[in-house]
Amino acid sequence: QVQLVESGGGLVQAGGSLRLSCAASGKIFSIKSMGWYRQAPGKQRELVAGITSDGSTNYGDSVKGRFTISRDNAKNTVYLQMNSLKPEDTAVYYCTADHLSLAGALWDYWGQGTQVTVSS
């Protein structure tokens, strides 16, 4: 079992910045890709950003140029630096990680979510 714990959410004014962190713990063998999704009230969950184990990244169109994803493989931690925040970025942000077990099984894990609220 792998647990993901997010931190860093909160309330910020439009134009401000926040940095989210997500640390994986438990019986970790190999974490492949990690990423962030978000879900606003009444909307579907959407991809914010993803990063592979070798550092390749991809971003949702709405956050390109404003958000940066990074990871520390030694700490099994992924980060999301969010700049120039807009009210439409308000959502619950979820961390996700693809874990490859010693037995060769690939499982997708999710964190509990952290609220980000951007005031206008």
Side-chain angles (χ1 to χ4, degrees):
Q1 281 281 4
V2 174
Q3 295 80 42
L4 300 177
V5 178
E6 301 113 331
S7 61
L11 174 64
V12 64
Q13 288 189 332
S17 298
L18 281 175
R19 188 189 193 213
L20 304 182
S21 299
C22 172
S25 62
K27 295 182 178 181
I28 296 172
F29 177 65
S30 178
I31 294 179
K32 300 302 181 180
S33 60
M34 302 185 80
W36 292 92
Y37 283 75
R38 69 186 182 186
Q39 187 166 21
K43 295 188 177 182
Q44 289 188 329
R45 190 172 294 188
E46 63 173 354
L47 172 70
V48 177
I51 185 167
T52 63
S53 55
D54 63 359
S56 297
T57 60
N58 65 295
Y59 296 91
D61 288 341
S62 61
V63 306
K64 286 180 181 177
R66 299 188 298 122
F67 291 10
T68 302
I69 189 170
S70 61
R71 66 188 283 176
D72 185 331
N73 290 333
K75 296 181 179 179
N76 293 315
T77 299
V78 64
Y79 306 96
L80 185 69
Q81 178 66 43
M82 304 185 293
N83 298 329
S84 302
L85 282 161
K86 304 175 181 180
E88 50 264 44
D89 293 318
T90 296
V92 177
Y93 284 69
Y94 297 91
C95 171
T96 182
D98 291 332
H99 176 256
L100 180 67
S101 72
L102 183 61
L106 188 65
W107 290 95
D108 187 25
Y109 290 92
W110 291 79
Q112 80 286 355
T114 186
Q115 177 70 45
V116 172
T117 302
V118 183
S119 63
S120 58

